[in-house]
């Protein structure tokens, strides 16, 4: 990534590959998504960068390819409802909706993940 990737490509003719693609290939994630009824992923902060080459972007590509529902659990969501819909995210569950103070949210992450998981469970009958 970054400067190291550029140096390796420049001096050793290395091939640049997005990190998510490499990990997805190693773990055979595409096959898992293909067989899934629902895909749930997580991200610390969902924003424009999440949609341009990061892990979430890779998950979106595969859920769209196989027409799967995608739910995202995150610390904070910076995208509009329209951006979420346009990018194939069916539901987003954000800790910052419950605790806007970042330090408290991080300190009590387990508690808030549990709470947003319970909220997500109320939508399970939709899939």
């Amino acid at each position: 990534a970054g400067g190291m990737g550029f140096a390796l490509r420049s001096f050793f003719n290395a091939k640049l590959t997005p990190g998510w693609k490499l990990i997805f290939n190693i773990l055979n994630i595409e096959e898992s998504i293909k067989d899934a009824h629902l895909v749930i992923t997580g991200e610390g902060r969902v924003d424009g960068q999440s949609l341009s080459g990061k892990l979430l972007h890779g998950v979106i590509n595969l859920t769209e390819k196989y027409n799967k529902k995608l739910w995202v659990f995150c610390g904070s969501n910076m995208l509009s409802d329209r951006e979420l819909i346009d990018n194939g995210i069916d539901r987003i569950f954000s800790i910052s909706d419950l605790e806007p103070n970042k330090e408290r949210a991080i300190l009590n992450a387990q508690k808030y993940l549990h709470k947003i998981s319970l909220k997500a469970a109320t939508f399970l009958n939709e899939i």
Side-chain angles (χ1 to χ4, degrees):
M4 180 59 81
F6 179 78
L8 290 170
R9 189 181 89 200
S10 297
F11 296 109
F12 299 106
N13 202 27
K15 180 182 172 191
L16 296 180
T17 302
W20 66 264
K21 273 190 178 180
L22 180 66
I23 298 300
F24 282 19
N25 287 338
I26 291 169
L27 299 176
N28 202 21
I29 297 296
E30 183 167 354
E31 196 64 29
S32 296
I33 289 176
K34 180 180 172 186
D35 295 339
H37 295 286
L38 169 67
V39 177
I40 299 173
T41 191
E43 181 104 0
R45 176 180 164 145
V46 176
D47 57 20
Q49 286 187 344
S50 305
L51 306 175
S52 59
K54 292 179 78 176
L55 178 103
L56 181 56
H57 175 77
V59 174
I60 289 169
N61 285 341
L62 291 176
T63 55
E64 287 180 343
K65 179 178 180 179
Y66 294 107
N67 196 31
K68 303 296 180 175
K69 288 189 175 285
L70 174 60
W71 290 5
V72 178
F73 284 51
C74 65
S76 63
N77 170 35
M78 307 307 291
L79 299 178
S80 69
D81 290 343
R82 176 83 286 166
E83 289 171 307
L84 294 170
I85 291 166
D86 288 349
N87 285 283
I89 298 171
D90 294 288
R91 298 248 182 239
I92 193 158
F93 303 93
S94 175
I95 289 174
S96 65
D97 289 344
L98 300 175
E99 176 52 74
N101 180 282
K102 184 178 177 180
E103 290 75 26
R104 283 194 301 261
I106 291 170
L107 184 64
N108 298 296
Q110 182 177 357
K111 175 176 96 174
Y112 292 119
L113 278 170
H114 180 76
K115 284 185 177 193
I116 64 174
S117 297
L118 290 174
K119 181 179 177 185
T122 64
F123 295 103
L124 286 177
N125 63 351
E126 293 181 11
I127 58 171

